[in-house]
Amino acid sequence: MGEVDTAFVQELEHRPKLSIIEAQGIPEIDLSPIFHHEVPNPSAVDALVKEIGSACKEWGFFQVTNHGVPLSLRQKLEEASRSFFAQSLEEKKKVARDAINPTGYYDTEHTKNVRDWKEVFDFLSKDPTLIPVTSDEHDVQVTQWTNQYPQYPSNFRTIIEEYIEEIEKLAFKLLELIALSLGVEAKRFEEFFKDQTSFIRFNHYPPCPYPDLALGVGRHKDAGALTVLAQDEVGGLEVKRKSDQEWVLVKPTPDAYIINVGDIIQVWSNDAYESVEHRAMVKKETERFSIPFFFNPGHDAEIKPLEKLINEENPSKYKAYKWGKFLVNRINSNFKKQDGENLQIYHYKLH
């Protein structure tokens, strides 16, 4: 990725600013009340639920510490990811994704019709994962997506599977806290994740000669329920601050995870919580790695605002949609330049 090809160049208004605003006041939430006590203290858990609720409302994302995921496992995973990306392109392309199965290695992803300055490797949480064949709502056919397993590093698959197990536990706990913060029972969302379509992504952002023109990932919102992100010490994640719509940099906190609320939680909460726009910067001399886990429901989950949160004063703001159909539509639009914008949740807004 030497000279910048025009496919990577962001429109003027979306280019990264080189004067960085570091985000102040991003909620950092200590999860020890639910992870490090034999018998949780109800008042500490209540305080945690309130903290999560206000973070979801005011920021749409937060960082968590004392989250129960072993640091040694995360370090092993990060090391394996670096080894994988350090291979030649020819080796990486042995596990390249194709039109039929969108898991594996890829280096030409587009966000908002501009190519991202990155390469990725995607791995499903459940293998196989059931998914609709088309985004046509009358078509009931389903197909299976399966993982591709890199030969190198030899322990990559085992480490990924161990890590997914730990990160899922964290994601389910966070979902319970979010449910409680919305005033519904803790396990309210669990049924949606029976045949989950979650996946983990390994991102590698190589050094970029023109970091003022290109982005590692352009501005976007996450379509799923929750994203649990491990970013390295280089940092580069920017979030659009709700209070003033400025792009602010999220400084990496060692061993913390960055959590962001996805579109599905925005719909379930009937807009009480908002999925926020974010993007990834690139550096001129330094490569960067990050590992997001996208926690997504089963393909046949019907997504709509929770009945308990709807009343005459607060009517439903969205019409229901099937998650799998939405996902297939989005996946198909990620890999080629579109004539228009790809599917977004506001297309389901009731006016």
Side-chain angles (χ1 to χ4, degrees):
M1 292 183 174
E3 287 296 303
V4 167
D5 171 340
T6 53
F8 292 102
V9 176
Q10 295 284 332
E11 288 167 34
L12 203 54
E13 72 209 85
H14 299 306
R15 286 181 195 168
K17 287 186 186 146
L18 294 182
S19 58
I20 304 264
I21 304 173
E22 221 163 76
Q24 300 299 319
I26 287 174
E28 193 170 296
I29 298 176
D30 181 346
L31 296 179
S32 51
I34 56 166
F35 278 114
H36 299 299
H37 296 284
E38 292 299 306
V39 181
N41 168 343
S43 65
V45 174
D46 286 349
L48 185 55
V49 168
K50 281 200 181 72
E51 250 187 296
I52 295 260
S54 75
C56 291
K57 207 183 193 71
E58 286 155 34
W59 285 88
F61 77 106
F62 49 93
Q63 299 206 55
V64 294
T65 56
N66 293 315
H67 42 64
V69 180
L71 178 59
S72 57
L73 180 58
R74 173 165 162 179
Q75 287 168 336
K76 274 198 298 193
L77 186 77
E78 287 173 346
E79 215 171 284
S81 161
R82 284 167 186 263
S83 302
F84 172 77
F85 286 119
Q87 297 178 100
S88 68
L89 188 58
E90 189 188 356
E91 283 301 313
K92 289 181 282 201
K93 284 200 162 165
K94 287 179 179 171
V95 284
R97 72 166 59 144
D98 56 40
I100 295 143
N101 200 15
T103 66
Y105 176 77
Y106 201 71
D107 64 352
T108 53
E109 189 154 84
H110 287 71
T111 303
K112 298 267 193 282
N113 279 332
V114 182
R115 192 168 154 193
D116 295 331
W117 190 271
K118 67 171 182 191
E119 49 179 356
V120 307
F121 178 76
D122 287 344
F123 192 95
L124 299 162
S125 176
K126 298 284 172 267
D127 188 4
T129 290
L130 290 177
I131 213 81
V133 172
T134 68
S135 55
D136 174 358
E137 59 191 72
H138 304 295
D139 184 351
V140 295
Q141 300 173 86
V142 290
T143 184
Q144 291 186 339
W145 285 350
T146 52
N147 279 322
Q148 302 204 58
Y149 298 112
Q151 296 300 300
Y152 179 85
S154 58
N155 58 350
F156 200 14
R157 175 183 177 174
T158 314
I159 297 169
I160 297 174
E161 287 170 349
E162 274 176 43
Y163 181 81
I164 285 175
E165 204 176 302
E166 292 296 333
I167 217 79
E168 266 180 21
K169 285 183 208 161
L170 172 58
F172 274 115
K173 283 286 187 199
L174 289 165
L175 212 53
E176 287 185 17
L177 293 167
I178 289 170
L180 290 169
S181 75
L182 287 166
V184 298
E185 61 277 14
K187 304 275 189 197
R188 176 66 183 86
F189 298 127
E190 213 162 88
E191 61 184 276
F192 294 104
F193 290 83
K194 196 165 64 79
D195 295 312
Q196 54 174 293
T197 56
S198 306
F199 68 100
I200 192 167
R201 166 167 286 184
F202 298 87
N203 287 315
H204 173 226
Y205 305 97
C208 174
Y210 302 104
D212 52 333
L213 299 179
L215 285 165
V217 185
R219 70 196 195 286
H220 67 286
K221 297 182 175 196
D222 291 347
L226 272 185
T227 304
V228 181
L229 172 73
Q231 66 165 341
D232 67 10
E233 67 291 343
V234 175
L237 173 70
E238 286 198 319
V239 172
K240 195 174 254 192
R241 188 164 50 196
K242 283 177 71 173
S243 58
D244 58 6
Q245 300 299 294
E246 279 288 350
W247 285 107
V248 296
L249 185 71
V250 183
K251 197 171 174 211
T253 299
D255 192 29
Y257 282 100
I258 296 166
I259 312 298
N260 67 285
V261 167
D263 290 347
I264 287 176
I265 285 177
Q266 179 168 328
V267 173
W268 280 338
S269 75
N270 205 29
D271 281 355
Y273 297 162
E274 190 186 335
S275 166
V276 288
E277 260 196 327
H278 50 287
R279 65 187 189 183
M281 308 268 284
V282 282
K283 297 274 200 300
K284 195 164 188 165
E285 267 104 35
T286 324
E287 61 182 344
R288 173 179 178 248
F289 296 86
S290 72
I291 306 173
F293 174 71
F294 298 102
F295 193 43
N296 298 333
H299 77 90
D300 55 356
E302 187 178 60
I303 309 301
K304 59 182 182 184
L306 298 176
E307 282 95 14
K308 198 169 174 188
L309 303 182
I310 296 167
N311 52 42
E312 275 179 32
E313 290 78 57
N314 186 27
S316 175
K317 296 185 169 73
Y318 294 90
K319 58 183 183 209
Y321 63 92
K322 276 281 172 57
W323 164 245
K325 298 292 184 187
F326 185 95
L327 179 64
V328 168
N329 188 307
R330 282 289 281 266
I331 294 253
N332 291 342
S333 69
N334 271 356
F335 310 122
K336 50 186 183 288
K337 209 169 158 91
Q338 302 292 302
D339 296 333
E341 185 182 31
N342 63 5
L343 189 64
Q344 305 288 337
I345 55 160
Y346 64 71
H347 294 129
Y348 295 92
K349 269 267 184 180
L350 295 167
H351 296 295

